[in-house]
Amino acid sequence: MLLSLAIGVCLVLPSNASVVDPFRAPECERCAGNRGVEFAVPTGSDVVAGLSGTVSFVGVVGGRNYVVLRATANPAVRVTYGGLALLAAPQLRQGSVVARGERIGIAQHSLHVGLRIGDRYVDPQLVASGNISNVAKPRYRVTLGARRTHSCSR
């Protein structure tokens, strides 16, 4: 949980899914890699927000529906959900506030979950598990605020 506390967010990942393509950090900004995790999920499954936040993007990229949430607890943290068959109700748009666990869409056969802290892509599984030892030091300063943080409940 140390990393979760350091960035001030609790991220919950799908529990009904298996990883089919893990996070692979690119060697450079435009190099190949997988900037998230691809999960195999049952078609038609609800996709719920893994953290509370504000929708910063809803739309189609490369023929796939995407939703990007900026974390309420730390605006530098953004979570991307891709490969949605359908988006949640039409009121889900840029600026919408979403609570952790709230439905944001319906899954196709796979679900992409990406995580950025600032402009740096980070393995969502490491943040969700709290495994800080495998995460390289960020290029910016991370500080713990004076506010009390809560631990993730799963």
Side-chain angles (χ1 to χ4, degrees):
M1 289 299 162
L2 190 54
L3 182 60
S4 296
L5 292 175
I7 63 173
V9 300
C10 294
L11 177 64
V12 179
L13 296 175
S15 59
N16 65 336
S18 56
V19 174
V20 293
D21 192 6
F23 178 84
R24 291 184 316 282
E27 292 183 23
C28 68
E29 186 177 324
R30 297 190 185 268
C31 292
N34 186 5
R35 290 164 173 80
V37 177
E38 296 288 330
F39 293 95
V41 293
T43 300
S45 297
D46 284 342
V47 176
V48 298
L51 52 68
S52 297
T54 303
V55 176
S56 61
F57 176 81
V58 176
V60 178
V61 177
R64 296 180 77 182
N65 289 317
Y66 282 87
V67 173
V68 178
L69 297 179
R70 187 173 295 274
T72 302
N74 182 345
V77 176
R78 290 174 285 171
V79 180
T80 300
Y81 299 91
L84 305 174
L86 296 170
L87 299 174
Q91 66 267 19
L92 186 69
R93 61 178 141 257
Q94 189 172 0
S96 298
V97 176
V98 176
R100 184 172 74 187
E102 186 175 334
R103 187 172 77 115
I104 58 173
I106 304 291
Q108 287 180 319
H109 54 83
S110 69
L111 173 67
H112 171 86
V113 179
L115 176 69
R116 283 183 281 178
I117 302 173
D119 289 330
R120 181 188 174 93
Y121 289 92
V122 177
D123 186 344
Q125 292 183 294
L126 294 179
V127 173
S129 71
N131 186 353
I132 194 167
S133 63
N134 291 327
V135 178
K137 290 184 179 178
R139 289 181 242 164
Y140 49 88
R141 186 173 164 208
V142 177
T143 59
L144 294 172
R147 293 183 309 171
R148 182 181 165 161
T149 58
H150 62 282
S151 62
C152 293
S153 59
R154 294 180 196 240

